[in-house]
Amino acid sequence: DAGITQSPRHKVTETGTPVTLRCHQTENHRYMYWYRQDPGHGLRLIHYSYGVKDTDKGEVSDGYSVSRSKTEDFLLTLESATSSQTSVYFCAISESSWSTSSYNEQFFGPGTRLTVL
Amino acid sequence: GQNIDQPTEMTATEGAIVQINCTYQTSGFNGLFWYQQHAGEAPTFLSYNVLDGLEEKGRFSSFLSRSKGYSYLLLKELQMKDSASYLCAVRVFTGGGNKLTFGTGTQLKVEL
């Protein structure tokens, strides 16, 4: 299994508070991703990173920011949490995003269940 | 944008064969993935297709037709542990690299 951990695994917070989720990998993979998973919507990309300090938005990036200061860590921040951000958040990694000669599949972390009251 | 459709739920019998379909409409297609996700767990990679045809991997096979925007996942000799959600995901090439867009998943229930 790919070495990906997420912390915390569960969190309950109140509307308006800041929240930071951490993804840590030991695979030295270049690409890292943050998704949220909600019933009826599937997995949706929030932000992704293609290198240290290099990030870009996904399809549901409003209300979220990310940072990547080291290859192994990718942080997702909710500056002011809202109830609509209650979800399960998954981090994923992949070795390379440019090659079509191999699978370059994404490996997922165990997820963080976030509840915003 | 991308549009990916797959059935919401399917039920099958232990020992049988089931086919889960996925249709997609996208530009910049760069491969199609199938993932398995058990309740409360992370998705895990099952298969990948980028060229037309069938890829076989033990009890699991995946087929792709790029001209039709169609894929299916075939599960043979079903076991109770195959009860899970199966996610179809299309990889598209964008200026920022390759990104995955997921369908909403097909919940498969295997019964005795």
Side-chain angles (χ1 to χ4, degrees), chain A residues 37 48 97-98 100 103 106 109, chain B residues 35 37 42 48 91 93 96 98:
Chain A
Q37 187 172 37
Y48 69 101
S97 190
W98 292 101
T100 57
Y103 294 170
Q106 293 184 15
Chain B
Y35 282 81
Q37 186 177 25
Y48 170 72
R91 183 165 64 183
F93 179 80
N98 291 321

Side-chain angles (χ1 to χ4, degrees), chain A residues 1 6 8-9 11 23 25 30-31 33 37 44 56-57 62 65 71 83 89 94 99 102 108 111:
Chain A
D1 290 343
Q6 293 184 230
R9 295 291 315 278
K11 185 171 183 67
C23 177
Q25 59 142 333
R30 178 181 177 187
Y31 289 83
Y33 310 82
Q37 187 172 37
R44 292 181 292 175
D56 204 352
K57 296 179 180 179
D62 288 349
S65 62
T71 298
S83 58
Y89 290 86
S94 67
S99 172
S102 65
F108 285 82

Side-chain angles (χ1 to χ4, degrees), chain A residues 64-112:
Chain A
Y64 302 95
S65 62
V66 290
S67 66
R68 191 169 178 200
S69 58
K70 298 184 290 184
T71 298
E72 57 266 35
D73 289 326
F74 192 33
L75 303 180
L76 176 71
T77 297
L78 292 66
E79 300 290 347
S80 178
T82 67
S83 58
S84 64
Q85 294 176 311
T86 293
S87 186
V88 179
Y89 290 86
F90 286 101
C91 173
I93 64 174
S94 67
E95 186 167 12
S96 170
S97 190
W98 292 101
S99 172
T100 57
S101 62
S102 65
Y103 294 170
N104 299 126
E105 69 269 33
Q106 293 184 15
F107 299 96
F108 285 82
T112 294

Side-chain angles (χ1 to χ4, degrees), chain A residues 8-13 17-21 112-116:
Chain A
R9 295 291 315 278
H10 302 271
K11 185 171 183 67
V12 179
T13 191
T17 59
V19 176
T20 295
L21 308 182
T112 294
R113 184 173 294 277
L114 176 67
T115 302
V116 183

